Amino acid sequence: MSEKKQILVTQPFLPPLDEFNEYLRQIWESKWLTNNGKFHQELEKALCEYLGIKYISLFSNGTLALITAIQTLKITGEVITTPYSFVATSHALWWNNIKPVFVDIEPETFNIDLNKIEAAITPKTTAIMPVHVYGNPCRVEKIKEIADTYGLKVIYDAAHAFGVKINNNSVLNFGDLSVMSFHATKVYNTFEGGAIVCHDEATKKRIDFLKNFGFANETTVVAPGINAKMNEVQASMGLLQLKYIDENIEKRKKIAELYRKNLKDIKGISFMHDLSGVKHCYPYFPIFVNEEYSRTRDELYEELKKNNIYGRRYFYPLISHFSPYRSMDSAKPENLPVAEKVSNQVICLPMYPELEIEDITNITLIIKNI
Ligand SMILES: *Cc1c(COP(=O)(O)O)cnc(C)c1O
């Protein structure tokens, strides 16, 4: 067999280099590299417009944005969250000295199971931190109802949900705060990057202080803030990416449709469908391998690798299996049966705008003919 190219789970979209060079030239000329520069300000404005939100504060990465979101609302004690996410969701709580309390997920959307939240609330609970997993919106109205009833804050980890809308309203408009990631592997990237979305000017101001050491002005520090500012190179990349984002999400949608067409009717393989009323962003294409398939999930995963196709088992292992968390009561597998099951079935197939039709055909043929 001839040497085959490697196909990874994702590949970042990069705009034409000469367009980026033009931004770099301006940055060199101005010598303003970070601290709320021109492109930083432009990007905050442009993102508010594109996403349909009121206030955004840009960050150097999503994890620092999560950590700062928790600081913004002075969350303490225990926070209810999901084990079925990237580990940073719980790590952000850990860095704030907060105990994550894991609640199981729903089998349809892979988001936190609303019917199991109330049973996990204790006198120490101060907030809920759900994740819009694979960009599937959480049932935000119901979460608000629970949060209001028990006096809890809601911080959404919206790292997967760039541009996602419910009935034409951004999913970022729900919850007290939403946190985004613009990491290289995400639908929209600024190399590394992130943001907090909020709904009023005073909160935006506080977030801006916190990401800049807590400085409110030259001589006043209002809190032990951190350094999490987005720099001008990242911000200019963000401005350029916005020019191509609609086209890229459209390409992802076409890829998802082709995968679905090719994979339907394979016994033991299932996948997600678009939810009605939702504008999706197609960050990942997870498939779920059950007992009816001719091989185990890991056998399929290894077989794909042998063919130079590098899927990823997002999210396996569950966060609740990692060493900082596994001894907690809520991390016990019997508390999280759906998450445990899904985590053992999932493979995310390659998904990125420049993935070629021929590659999709090859990937799905391997799955079909193994
Ligand atoms: C990527 C991701 C993060 C972390 O974002 P970074 O920008 O990489 O720090 C947090 N939560 C989820 C669900 C993610 O996918």
Side-chain angles (χ1 to χ4, degrees):
M1 233 201 295
S2 64
E3 192 64 32
K4 276 195 198 156
K5 65 175 175 185
Q6 279 195 357
I7 300 177
L8 306 181
V9 70
T10 193
Q11 177 181 286
F13 171 78
L14 292 169
L17 187 56
D18 54 340
E19 293 185 19
F20 189 57
N21 275 334
E22 175 50 30
Y23 279 101
L24 288 181
R25 198 189 55 72
Q26 291 183 53
I27 294 168
W28 255 244
E29 211 162 73
S30 72
K31 299 193 188 338
W32 192 301
L33 307 186
T34 186
N35 287 57
N36 200 27
K38 171 177 172 234
F39 295 135
H40 183 285
Q41 292 176 33
E42 272 181 36
L43 183 58
E44 286 194 342
K45 214 179 275 167
L47 280 171
C48 282
E49 204 164 293
Y50 179 82
L51 296 167
I53 54 174
K54 270 211 182 115
Y55 297 96
I56 194 168
S57 179
L58 299 174
F59 276 72
S60 51
N61 64 60
T63 303
L64 285 170
L66 275 171
I67 289 172
T68 306
I70 295 161
Q71 291 268 323
T72 303
L73 302 176
K74 299 196 170 189
I75 306 297
T76 57
E78 296 178 3
V79 169
I80 290 171
T81 189
T82 170
Y84 196 72
S85 180
F86 183 62
V87 71
T89 310
S90 286
H91 280 359
L93 294 168
W94 188 270
W95 275 76
N96 278 294
N97 222 348
I98 289 164
K99 182 173 157 194
V101 174
F102 298 110
V103 164
D104 206 6
I105 59 169
E106 298 175 339
E108 302 84 24
T109 61
F110 314 103
N111 291 332
I112 194 164
D113 188 336
L114 304 186
N115 296 318
K116 296 182 181 162
I117 290 178
E118 287 180 90
I121 295 172
T122 77
K124 290 185 181 156
T125 310
T126 55
I128 310 172
M129 199 151 91
V131 181
H132 303 295
V133 177
Y134 308 134
N136 289 329
C138 294
R139 283 191 279 147
V140 290
E141 305 283 2
K142 188 78 213 297
I143 289 177
K144 180 169 166 34
E145 215 178 288
I146 297 170
D148 289 348
T149 304
Y150 288 88
L152 307 175
K153 302 282 189 193
V154 179
I155 300 175
Y156 283 107
D157 181 336
H160 298 177
F162 191 91
V164 171
K165 292 187 172 173
I166 316 171
N167 299 325
N168 223 18
N169 184 10
S170 174
V171 77
L172 304 167
N173 286 323
F174 297 90
D176 293 281
L177 301 172
S178 290
V179 177
M180 310 176 76
S181 167
F182 309 146
H183 182 257
T185 56
K186 308 296 205 252
V187 166
Y188 169 88
N189 89 78
T190 59
F191 301 102
E192 296 257 8
I196 302 179
V197 173
C198 65
H199 317 304
D200 64 88
E201 202 177 339
T203 307
K204 151 88 173 145
K205 224 178 191 177
R206 174 163 167 80
I207 296 165
D208 286 346
F209 296 160
L210 288 176
K211 76 176 180 192
N212 187 31
F213 311 98
F215 276 111
N217 58 44
E218 248 181 79
T219 52
T220 315
V221 166
V222 296
I226 197 145
N227 180 4
K229 303 182 299 289
M230 178 179 276
N231 68 48
E232 287 292 273
V233 178
Q234 290 173 292
S236 63
M237 178 68 149
L239 285 167
L240 253 184
Q241 291 280 1
L242 267 187
K243 201 173 138 186
Y244 297 94
I245 188 68
D246 284 335
E247 191 184 320
N248 284 334
I249 291 176
E250 196 52 38
K251 284 182 182 167
R252 286 173 176 274
K253 181 182 168 127
K254 292 255 159 62
I255 291 164
E257 284 166 356
L258 186 55
Y259 267 133
R260 286 173 191 157
K261 182 165 152 259
N262 292 358
L263 292 172
K264 75 172 175 355
D265 305 330
I266 302 181
K267 228 177 152 169
I269 299 286
S270 62
F271 44 80
M272 304 189 307
H273 294 274
D274 287 2
L275 303 168
S276 89
V278 174
K279 183 186 183 293
H280 290 274
C281 69
Y282 310 95
Y284 304 96
F285 193 86
I287 60 168
F288 305 91
V289 183
N290 70 31
E291 318 74 51
E292 289 184 6
Y293 189 66
S294 57
R295 304 289 161 87
T296 66
R297 186 274 305 270
D298 288 343
E299 283 166 355
L300 175 57
Y301 177 69
E302 294 301 330
E303 182 66 24
L304 287 165
K305 267 205 217 169
K306 271 189 220 145
N307 287 276
N308 272 328
I309 293 150
Y310 293 81
R312 289 297 295 270
R313 289 166 293 188
Y314 292 142
F315 293 102
Y316 168 86
L318 293 175
I319 298 175
S320 47
H321 284 232
F322 291 129
S323 63
Y325 310 110
R326 65 186 171 214
S327 63
M328 296 176 168
D329 276 348
S330 68
K332 294 204 170 78
E334 40 305 3
N335 185 46
L336 308 165
V338 180
E340 294 282 345
K341 184 173 158 199
V342 171
S343 173
N344 285 316
Q345 292 184 337
V346 70
I347 305 177
C348 287
L349 299 180
M351 166 57 98
Y352 49 88
E354 281 148 347
L355 185 63
E356 287 169 26
I357 292 180
E358 190 195 331
D359 296 327
I360 301 166
T361 310
N362 284 337
I363 293 165
T364 50
L365 277 177
I366 294 165
I367 299 170
K368 199 173 279 184
N369 297 333
I370 191 171

